[in-house]
Each structure stands twice: as C-alpha cells, then as structure tokens.
Amino acid sequence: MKIYISEDIWDFDLEAALKEISEQRREQALKFRHEQGQRLCVLAYQLLKHGLREAYGISENPIFEYNEHGKPSIVGHPDIFFNFSHCKEAVVCAVSDQPIGVDVEGFREYKEGLVHYTMNDEEVYEIESAEQPEMAFIRLWTMKEATMKLIGTGISNDMKTVIDTQRYQYTTVEKDRYVYTVCVYRD
C-alpha cells in the first residue's frame, strides 16, 4: 500500500493539467463550478497516475468504471485498488493490491447534532470527554468515511456502527490543518 498526499492545490497550471488527464476525468473536473473543486479533482487523478506509474509501471491515463454506489475501479486492472479523498487543505490517494478506503478532512468545529446523528454512545462519550473534542470527532469521522469507502457503500445510514476494529485496520494521521485515515481489511 502506498499513500500519496499533496497540499499543492494552487501550485500547478490547471489548463496544462487538464490536457494531460483522461477525457473522462477532465469532464468530471469541469463539472465543478469553482476552480478549487476542479483543482482538487485533477490533483487526485494526478496522484493516482503517479502511484500507478511508481507501483505498477502503468503510464497511460486510467479509465474508471463504477459500482452501484459510485465506487471507482480501473478498467482492465481488477487487481489494483485505489481510493482518494480531498478537502480544502489537501488531497490524499491510496493505491494498493487489496481493497482500501481513505478519507481526509480539514479541521473544523463539530456540531452537536451531527455528533449524535453519526456517532454511537461510546463515540459520543469519547468526543465529549476528549481534551480536543473537535479532533476526536474528525478522527472518528474519517474512520467512518474511510470504512464506507473501503466497502464501497459510500455514506450510509449505518454511520453509528461502521467502525469495526476487529474487521478493519485503521491508520489515522493528524497534520497541521487536516486529518486523514486509511482503512483496510485485517488479515
């Protein structure tokens, strides 16, 4: 498994980058109304291309197909798994030979209603008793999203029970302005 991260959202020539990616991804990027969304979409794809080249020697632009919940896979490469996520602060891409999920979130104030809607009683207690409740919330949130992205369901109604440390292995990294979590199946 390889993790690729970039905070260089504004440090590349968007027009040139759009010409270097697949038509499929270019169309997705240009659906974003704002330049920041376009840049995040392109940068995620660039990180994936870098990872595929580095790990598998693949230099052509990957083309995606999607499952019924919208989880992408690479056409012609069923043995390569990837996932990416972005927030205003960073883009993260994970590439692996096994199913993988990743989520990144910037620091923000948590809302009590969201905590009670998405967290179980044990997680609510963990957040409310933490020295930095907003950090505890973001960590748990990224664990939940990474899990749902791993299993390919996207955000579901099962948010309160999705974290399963017996079934999944989590790696959470806290940076200066964001947190990301990678989730894989335990062996």
Side-chain angles (χ1 to χ4, degrees):
M1 159 179 47
K2 291 279 196 169
I3 308 300
Y4 302 92
I5 304 166
S6 179
E7 298 174 5
D8 300 329
I9 298 160
W10 297 98
D11 296 342
F12 64 91
D13 181 337
L14 180 59
E15 278 191 49
L18 284 165
K19 293 175 184 173
E20 297 172 359
I21 62 177
S22 71
E23 183 178 336
Q24 178 191 48
R25 190 63 175 185
R26 185 171 38 256
E27 287 175 8
Q28 287 177 321
L30 293 174
K31 286 180 183 176
F32 287 92
R33 283 188 5 192
H34 300 289
E35 184 180 347
Q36 183 172 18
Q38 294 173 3
R39 287 179 165 280
L40 293 168
C41 184
V42 169
L43 187 53
Y45 190 82
Q46 287 177 324
L47 290 178
L48 175 62
K49 283 179 55 173
H50 175 76
L52 293 173
R53 192 170 41 254
E54 184 178 90
Y56 298 97
I58 297 171
S59 58
E60 69 268 6
N61 283 327
I63 304 299
F64 302 146
E65 57 189 355
Y66 298 88
N67 75 8
E68 66 275 12
H69 300 288
K71 181 174 176 142
S73 58
I74 300 170
V75 172
H77 296 282
D79 55 332
I80 299 174
F81 300 89
F82 75 96
N83 200 233
F84 39 64
S85 180
H86 51 74
C87 62
K88 291 188 294 186
E89 295 79 14
V91 176
V92 178
C93 177
V95 179
S96 181
D97 59 1
Q98 62 178 316
I100 193 161
V102 66
D103 186 51
V104 62
E105 298 289 337
F107 297 155
R108 65 177 183 268
E109 185 179 339
Y110 74 93
K111 304 216 181 325
E112 194 171 318
L114 183 60
V115 169
H116 289 281
Y117 182 72
T118 60
M119 305 290 163
N120 62 41
D121 291 342
E122 187 177 304
E123 293 163 346
V124 170
Y125 177 78
E126 182 179 338
I127 292 166
E128 291 178 348
S129 62
E131 190 173 306
Q132 294 181 299
E134 61 284 340
M135 288 298 293
F137 172 74
I138 293 289
R139 182 180 53 78
L140 289 166
W141 179 267
T142 61
M143 290 172 70
K144 289 173 183 283
E145 279 219 38
T147 303
M148 291 182 287
K149 291 173 79 177
L150 164 72
I151 58 180
T153 61
I155 293 182
S156 68
N157 294 332
D158 194 21
M159 294 277 298
K160 291 187 178 190
T161 62
V162 73
I163 294 176
D164 183 345
T165 57
Q166 299 300 311
R167 185 170 186 192
Y168 309 114
Q169 178 179 333
Y170 299 93
T171 303
T172 300
V173 177
E174 294 179 12
K175 296 287 198 170
D176 291 339
R177 300 176 301 141
Y178 58 91
V179 173
Y180 72 89
T181 296
V182 177
C183 179
V184 295
Y185 288 103
R186 286 199 178 275
D187 292 331

